Amino acid sequence: MPSRSELLKDEFVTVDFETANRLSGASACQVALVKVASGEVVDQMCTYLRPPEEYIRFEFSHIHGIYRGDIEDAPSWFDIADEIVRFVGGAPVYAHNATFDASVWRGLDRYYFTGTYPEQFYCTCRMARRLLPHLADHRLPTVAEYCAPGFALEHHRADSDALACAHIVAQLQRSRGLHALLPA
């Protein structure tokens, strides 16, 4: 859970991963990042990822629509690791259901011996449970609809999920009345 001052930082990044299977975070087949500064999206990055051969079995194509043929020419995490570090910089990073995205990110860093995992990583689902307890549930579609009613979420597309997460964080930044519920 971010502190009030952490939530109110002018710049933040959101992330979403899609994975090929449940074997390992190293099976990530897509990543999207959105950078927000002063309440505006200032940069976006989205790419398919080619998992290592031992993790390339596609078990979740029916969920995210990504198939082996989509990633044949995609970079590996190692190929884009420096770009990821530059993109995030020192900004706090948010994901909806961050437990999943953090485990994928750490799994990629472990597999490729990269050091890209951010210093501050927060969960908008957990934040929504605390700050928006009145919602029917705290799944991404529900929280995104509440925080960004006009946003057309294409759930389980990494770019759309990361953008929805950015809308959620931006709305929570603007909702000053909720800030007292955060740690100082």
Side-chain angles (χ1 to χ4, degrees):
M1 187 70 60
S3 66
R4 267 175 262 153
S5 62
E6 194 68 24
L7 174 63
L8 294 175
K9 284 195 172 177
D10 184 54
E11 186 173 283
F12 65 87
V13 171
T14 59
V15 65
D16 187 73
F17 287 98
E18 299 299 333
T19 57
N21 57 61
R22 69 185 87 236
L23 297 174
S24 167
S27 80
C29 57
Q30 188 178 41
V31 62
L33 296 110
V34 174
K35 184 178 285 187
V36 175
S38 302
E40 300 292 325
V41 173
V42 295
D43 202 358
Q44 296 182 67
M45 174 186 177
C46 183
T47 185
Y48 287 131
L49 294 170
R50 181 175 174 77
E53 282 304 316
E54 63 267 33
Y55 298 121
I56 209 163
R57 190 187 65 172
F58 276 78
E59 174 183 346
F60 298 140
S61 296
H62 67 285
I63 295 172
H64 50 53
I66 302 168
Y67 295 87
R68 186 177 178 131
D70 296 321
I71 56 87
E72 288 301 323
D73 296 322
S76 72
W77 183 255
F78 184 82
D79 296 330
I80 66 166
D82 290 342
E83 187 177 353
I84 296 290
V85 169
R86 278 191 300 276
F87 191 97
V88 171
V93 176
Y94 294 84
H96 202 79
N97 189 13
T99 302
F100 169 78
D101 295 285
S103 72
V104 171
W105 201 322
R106 286 182 175 122
L108 288 163
D109 273 351
R110 258 191 318 276
Y111 185 89
Y112 289 105
F113 298 99
T114 52
T116 63
Y117 190 78
E119 285 186 38
Q120 297 115 0
F121 201 110
Y122 302 110
C123 182
T124 56
C125 183
R126 186 172 172 216
M127 291 169 64
R129 282 189 189 111
R130 177 178 286 183
L131 303 177
L132 307 170
H134 60 280
L135 296 181
D137 62 60
H138 296 93
R139 294 174 46 250
L140 182 61
T142 305
V143 180
E145 174 63 29
Y146 179 83
C147 290
F151 180 70
L153 175 66
E154 294 179 56
H155 196 26
H156 298 298
R157 279 196 37 189
D159 55 346
S160 186
D161 288 357
L163 192 53
C165 188
H167 283 298
I168 292 167
V169 176
Q171 179 59 35
L172 294 176
Q173 285 181 328
R174 290 188 295 270
S175 299
R176 303 282 178 182
L178 300 176
H179 297 172
L181 300 173
L182 292 169

